[in-house]
Amino acid sequence: MTAEKALERSGVGTVTGTPDEVRKKLAHLPVDQVVALTLLHGNKAHAHVLLDAVVGLAALIPGIIERRHEAKYQSIIEAIVPDVPLPQHKLIEARMTAEARKGVLETGEWMTAAEVAEMAGFSASNPSAQPNKWKKDGQIFALRHHGVDYFPGYAFGPSTDYRPAKDLARVLEVFRGKKDDWGLAYWFASANSFLGGKRPQDLLISKPDRVVAAAEDEVAGVLHG
């Protein structure tokens, strides 16, 4: 493609040659700006490869500049507009949520993947592999806190060979899409009237069918108001 045709299509044209050849070609091009690249050592093949790269980059530059302008525009708006304080009820809600989460974590029922692996006798080379696989397969849940997964210690015991209680997966299936991980933790740690005031986590291993039934009752109560 000639430089004239390239200018018509994209606004960017290229010419190559010796300084005298380039000077003559530029004299016939209706351009406002010229960017020159000089090669101290090179041949025509090298020059054409370099020009192809330059043309490709040139096509991207307008979009990049536009995005940068938009980013700066938005940053100016952010700087001018004052912070909007949270409504009082949102602050109260956030404080209550933080207290509830703190209370759950302070029960001491939570273990890191490394602690679970050590308890179950797994390899120490990659301690999180098996606990994370359990979580992915829906056999257990975990609380994410400060970038660390914490698994419920009450789901493990000698009778389960320190693997997740098999009926925990049934409970998780009942609550799927209805409670997130923190919601599950609150439910397991709360006294449950269906269980005679006992906490689901205390009966998960010893009386799993009752815990599953309590979960189903919870969901049925929510669905029917």
Side-chain angles (χ1 to χ4, degrees):
M1 183 185 299
T2 65
E4 290 85 350
K5 290 293 184 182
L7 280 171
E8 290 177 6
R9 291 191 177 185
S10 66
V12 177
T14 61
V15 294
T16 61
T18 65
D20 285 338
E21 291 171 343
V22 169
R23 191 179 299 111
K24 292 177 181 177
K25 293 177 182 178
L26 289 176
H28 298 92
L29 293 177
V31 295
D32 297 322
Q33 297 291 324
V34 174
V35 177
L37 293 175
T38 60
L39 298 178
L40 182 60
H41 301 291
N43 53 38
K44 289 185 177 181
H46 292 163
H48 281 292
V49 169
L50 179 60
L51 285 179
D52 287 342
V54 169
V55 170
L57 290 174
L60 300 176
I61 289 175
I64 293 173
I65 292 176
E66 183 177 352
R67 287 194 295 274
R68 288 185 176 179
H69 285 168
E70 180 63 22
K72 287 185 177 180
Y73 174 73
Q74 293 297 334
S75 66
I76 291 172
I77 293 177
E78 291 290 336
I80 294 175
V81 177
D83 288 338
V84 179
L86 280 174
Q88 187 64 25
H89 73 279
K90 284 292 185 181
L91 290 173
I92 295 173
E93 181 181 326
R95 190 177 301 114
M96 292 175 63
T97 299
E99 288 296 326
R101 291 188 176 187
K102 180 181 177 183
V104 167
L105 290 172
E106 288 180 347
T107 62
E109 296 284 355
W110 302 92
M111 309 171 66
T112 64
E115 291 169 337
V116 171
E118 181 179 1
M119 176 183 66
F122 296 135
S123 169
S125 60
N126 188 10
S128 64
Q130 187 58 54
N132 284 335
K133 184 176 186 304
W134 288 334
K135 184 176 70 168
K136 181 180 179 181
D137 293 343
Q139 298 179 52
I140 200 168
F141 71 101
L143 299 181
R144 191 74 173 172
H145 182 61
H146 291 170
V148 178
D149 277 343
Y150 289 90
F151 297 84
Y154 51 78
F156 305 93
S159 63
T160 69
D161 197 24
Y162 297 104
R163 272 58 174 172
K166 64 178 182 178
D167 292 286
L168 175 56
R170 294 169 59 195
V171 176
L172 299 183
E173 183 61 31
V174 171
F175 284 130
R176 185 180 303 277
K178 300 173 181 66
K179 289 185 184 295
D180 61 13
D181 292 332
W182 284 100
L184 289 168
Y186 300 148
W187 185 80
F188 273 106
S190 302
N192 192 294
S193 59
F194 189 91
L195 299 174
K198 295 184 179 297
R199 300 182 304 176
Q201 67 187 51
D202 297 327
L203 302 177
L204 178 61
I205 293 178
S206 61
K207 297 181 179 179
D209 288 337
R210 290 190 61 193
V211 175
V212 173
E216 292 171 342
D217 179 73
E218 171 91 359
V219 171
V222 172
L223 293 178
H224 297 102

